[in-house]
Amino acid sequence: MVEVERAIFSDDWRGLAGRLDQALSGDQCMEGNWIHQVGTTFGRADRVVSFNRRNLRCDPLSGFSYMVFANALVWDGKPEDALQALDDAEALGVTVPFKRDMRMMALLAA
């Protein structure tokens, strides 16, 4: 994962797609930082969704994981699932950063 984020901030993105695939396919729980945005825009929204499902199993009270999970679901063409994820977080009392923005984006996509 560190290799992906290091490459993002370099001027050399060669091999980034392969690094993304490797980082997103692991079974470890790691929230990351920029991998979510780059993964979705590189056409790997489905893998980012799976990545965040794993993270939420490890830490079901992570507001950051819910935020990027909802965002990835929208990019993956599943805005209704994104709305449900935000509702699930709210039911658990989880504070989701930019929740209002995520909800608006999901509603617009729906």
Side-chain angles (χ1 to χ4, degrees):
M1 168 127 23
V2 172
E3 291 298 319
V4 172
E5 298 200 358
R6 182 179 297 146
I8 292 168
F9 290 100
S10 76
D11 59 355
D12 183 5
W13 282 30
R14 289 176 293 167
L16 183 58
R19 290 179 190 158
L20 272 169
D21 290 340
Q22 184 178 11
L24 292 171
S25 66
D27 61 355
Q28 299 174 350
C29 293
M30 297 180 287
E31 284 192 339
N33 193 13
W34 295 98
I35 193 169
H36 311 286
Q37 290 82 1
V38 175
T40 54
T41 56
F42 265 64
R44 286 157 175 80
D46 59 335
R47 291 183 181 186
V48 176
V49 167
S50 296
F51 181 84
N52 283 294
R53 280 189 205 283
R54 265 194 319 276
N55 285 339
L56 285 169
R57 281 194 300 272
C58 294
D59 184 359
L61 301 178
S62 170
F64 178 81
S65 288
Y66 273 104
M67 177 188 73
V68 294
F69 182 51
N71 183 56
L73 285 165
V74 170
W75 275 84
D76 199 27
K78 300 173 182 166
E80 293 84 5
D81 291 350
L83 292 167
Q84 184 60 56
L86 293 169
D87 289 345
D88 292 347
E90 190 171 326
L92 290 170
V94 175
T95 300
V96 178
F98 305 104
K99 179 176 74 175
R100 185 174 169 192
D101 296 340
M102 293 295 107
R103 186 173 299 283
M104 180 182 67
M105 186 174 65
L107 288 168
L108 288 171

